Amino acid sequence: MEFSSKLIETAVTEISKLPGIGKKTALRLALHLLKSEQFQTEQLANALVKLRNEIVYCEKCFNISDDNICGICSSIKRDKNILCIVEDIRDILAIENTGQYTGLYHVLGGVISPIEGVGPEQLNISALVQRVQTEPVKEIIFALSPTMEGDTTTYYISKKIKALDIKTSSIARGIPIGGDLEYTDEITLGRSILTRTNYTTE
Amino acid sequence: MYLRKLILHNFKNYEEQHLDFIPGINCLVGENGAGKTNLLDAIHVLSLTKSAFNPVDSQNIRKGLGYYAVNGQFETGGTTEEVICGFQIGKSKSVKLNKVEYDKLSLHIGKFPLVLIAPNDSDLIREGNEVRRKFLDGIIAQHDAAYLNDLIRYNHFLKQRNALLKNFNETRVRDLDLLFPYDKNLKELAAAIYSKRVSFFNQFIPFFNQHYAHVSGNKEEVNIQYKSQVEDEDFPSLFHSFLEKDIYQQRTNAGIHKDEIVFEIEDMPLKKFGSQGQQKSFAISLKLAQYDCLHAIMGKKPLLLLDDVFDKLDDLRIKHLLGLMAENHFGQIFLTDARPERTASLLESVETEKKIFNVINGVVKVNEP
Ligand SMILES: [Zn+2]
């Protein structure tokens, strides 16, 4: 694409770096912003900059938060004995939507995959091991994707905490193949949390 | 089961081509380079989702264009099944059965079994064990989806483990707990794959011996040996004993990816001690045994593709092949030949219905009877 303006070109290049957005869509969005009132673009830009500068990850569970400790971790209604391990924040949203889970979460930030250079150090795993030693966790539920990498990660963490007296389970595989937790319908997911099965490394 | 209709769009040297096949013998004749083998390859794509000759799909598109599509209609016991295989540059390949797209291409393997006999079959003898394992896997995968799934998982875990070994080697930090899930899965999958390979050979070898005896006139004794580290009773210990070597070399030294398939003639390695004729007999017997094995296990006759066999095989082997054709050993056949008169005279003794297709520079014309 050839542009008559360097400014448009830069904006299109930046917007098209977002997932799922090609050059054509990026151009459409840029032109849309130019056509609408100036304050709207400023509001958008401010919101994005503020998001980036002020967002905090919960110190305990690594959920996105406004404070050092997120709303879930600080709620007195949540069951502090159960911890659900998820890959990212979208999984928390999906599970919260089911209304079936009242425990706490721990966000790993991905799954172990040496091919992609992702090892335990790149994930919030040592923080998890520390957390279960200092908090009154009695049960851990693994809700990682049903892939070989998800399984490997579940297995690795289970081994790391084996010595501690903690019950581990993984949510039932009612989840469609290739489907993220995000896309699983709420009833299936809610049911699979209730019917989770014991997990063992034997 | 037979392929009734084939439609090509921008596949290799074809622009748009519609072909109607018969259940019997379909002869594709024409000069070398006209595109006869490309038609066989299109059928290969329909059956196995990929080209037999070029794994790079973008290179299977007609020059200068952006996509290819291969469409086939199979008749199976009274019903018509439509397969569409399409590839567009920049997108992943899609295969549809009766308009429904597969989530994974591997789910299509085995729906319409196929055996290809081609001049490069001699690679099975000349090349390394990797080529022979691929041949073996290709046959088992066509009738055993669980085997294919195990194999895909095995190769994936192997890749992850090797990447991890590299990481151990480079960082000098070893978290053996991290190795554990890969080791466990690899050992379990290796055992499953090994036992299926063993039982496959038990079925395969009698078929092979039968064909070899025919084409060679019972002259010499041949042998297929399957060797695997997994046959060791204590394979798990063997696997772990390589750990230091694995880390040093950054790859896994034990497992079914090291399996050997050895061909012997009079107890000597065929590659070194077999004559050219013996090697050819061996190669075609392997392919015919593949055919019989798939037929026996799946209960339907695979499509048989014969690429240039009349030119590359000699009389004894052609005679065996024609004999099998004459007694209706096969189902639908597709064969290519640069010399139409040779095909006509050789097939004279075979009563099965034949149809001749003249291939001229990427265009196919049918002989009017
Ligand atoms: Zn939190």
Side-chain angles (χ1 to χ4, degrees), chain A residues 112-115 120 148-149 152 155-156 159-160 201-202, chain B residues 153 156-157 159-160 163-164 175 177-178 180-182 184:
Chain A
I112 296 171
S113 177
I115 297 171
M148 287 179 254
E149 282 66 40
T152 302
Y155 200 87
Y156 176 74
K159 272 216 102 181
K160 284 286 176 209
T201 52
E202 295 316 315
Chain B
R153 285 171 61 84
H156 188 80
F157 280 124
K159 240 169 96 180
Q160 288 283 24
L164 186 63
D175 183 349
D177 280 345
L178 202 47
F180 206 83
Y182 301 114
K184 180 178 186 284

Side-chain angles (χ1 to χ4, degrees), chain B residues 253-309:
Chain B
N253 283 284
I256 50 100
H257 60 288
K258 294 279 177 184
D259 282 3
E260 290 175 37
I261 299 153
V262 183
F263 299 149
E264 290 175 338
I265 185 154
E266 305 288 357
D267 296 325
M268 304 291 262
L270 176 74
K271 191 152 93 177
K272 264 192 189 161
F273 294 92
S275 70
Q276 233 192 2
Q278 287 165 333
Q279 294 191 8
K280 279 184 179 175
S281 295
F282 210 100
I284 193 163
S285 302
L286 287 171
K287 285 304 182 82
L288 292 171
Q290 172 185 9
Y291 186 94
D292 290 349
C293 237
L294 286 175
H295 181 196
I297 296 166
M298 303 177 81
K300 52 184 167 191
K301 290 182 175 179
L303 305 182
L304 181 63
L305 313 186
L306 303 171
D307 189 20
D308 217 11
V309 291

Side-chain angles (χ1 to χ4, degrees), chain B residues 111-355:
Chain B
K111 289 273 192 308
F112 306 98
L114 170 148
V115 173
L116 165 68
I117 300 183
N120 69 351
D121 286 345
S122 54
D123 288 354
L124 285 171
I125 288 142
R126 282 207 314 266
E127 299 288 323
N129 278 299
E130 197 186 341
V131 173
R132 286 186 283 283
R133 282 195 301 269
K134 235 183 183 166
F135 170 68
L136 164 76
D137 290 337
I139 308 172
I140 307 178
Q142 280 198 60
H143 69 257
D144 187 341
Y147 179 84
L148 180 57
N149 193 37
D150 280 354
L151 203 62
I152 291 170
R153 285 171 61 84
Y154 182 90
N155 288 328
H156 188 80
F157 280 124
L158 187 65
K159 240 169 96 180
Q160 288 283 24
R161 187 180 193 266
N162 290 346
L164 186 63
L165 291 169
K166 189 162 181 254
N167 179 279
F168 283 2
N169 186 302
E170 284 166 0
T171 61
R172 313 233 160 244
V173 181
R174 296 176 184 189
D175 183 349
L176 293 182
D177 280 345
L178 202 47
L179 208 52
F180 206 83
Y182 301 114
D183 292 2
K184 180 178 186 284
N185 278 297
L186 285 172
K187 282 180 289 180
E188 283 171 7
L189 289 166
I193 292 165
Y194 168 71
S195 84
K196 283 191 171 167
R197 284 181 177 176
V198 169
S199 61
F200 168 77
F201 274 115
N202 287 339
Q203 268 185 305
F204 181 83
I205 288 172
F207 286 125
F208 169 81
N209 286 339
Q210 230 176 357
H211 285 295
Y212 192 88
H214 264 113
V215 288
S216 69
N218 263 325
K219 276 202 294 270
E220 60 260 343
E221 198 174 315
V222 285
N223 221 339
I224 298 177
Q225 280 203 50
Y226 170 50
K227 295 181 192 169
S228 176
Q229 293 162 317
V230 186
E231 70 201 9
D232 189 326
E233 255 174 54
D234 205 6
F235 173 69
S237 306
L238 182 75
F239 185 92
H240 292 294
S241 71
F242 282 115
L243 182 62
E244 288 307 318
K245 198 177 169 191
D246 285 355
I247 294 174
Y248 178 70
Q249 298 183 335
Q250 307 179 16
R251 59 185 155 83
T252 304
N253 283 284
I256 50 100
H257 60 288
K258 294 279 177 184
D259 282 3
E260 290 175 37
I261 299 153
V262 183
F263 299 149
E264 290 175 338
I265 185 154
E266 305 288 357
D267 296 325
M268 304 291 262
L270 176 74
K271 191 152 93 177
K272 264 192 189 161
F273 294 92
S275 70
Q276 233 192 2
Q278 287 165 333
Q279 294 191 8
K280 279 184 179 175
S281 295
F282 210 100
I284 193 163
S285 302
L286 287 171
K287 285 304 182 82
L288 292 171
Q290 172 185 9
Y291 186 94
D292 290 349
C293 237
L294 286 175
H295 181 196
I297 296 166
M298 303 177 81
K300 52 184 167 191
K301 290 182 175 179
L303 305 182
L304 181 63
L305 313 186
L306 303 171
D307 189 20
D308 217 11
V309 291
F310 293 153
D311 200 62
K312 296 297 183 305
L313 291 178
D314 47 27
D315 296 346
L316 213 57
R317 286 168 277 270
I318 289 177
K319 206 178 135 206
H320 178 57
L321 206 53
L322 291 171
L324 291 170
M325 285 186 195
E327 63 192 43
N328 274 322
H329 188 82
F330 305 116
Q332 192 179 25
I333 294 175
F334 300 84
L335 64 85
T336 67
D337 195 355
R339 290 168 49 192
E341 73 291 347
R342 171 173 57 193
T343 294
S345 78
L346 282 172
L347 289 181
E348 220 164 272
S349 61
V350 181
E351 280 174 21
T352 315
E353 193 191 352
K354 294 148 216 151
K355 189 172 178 179

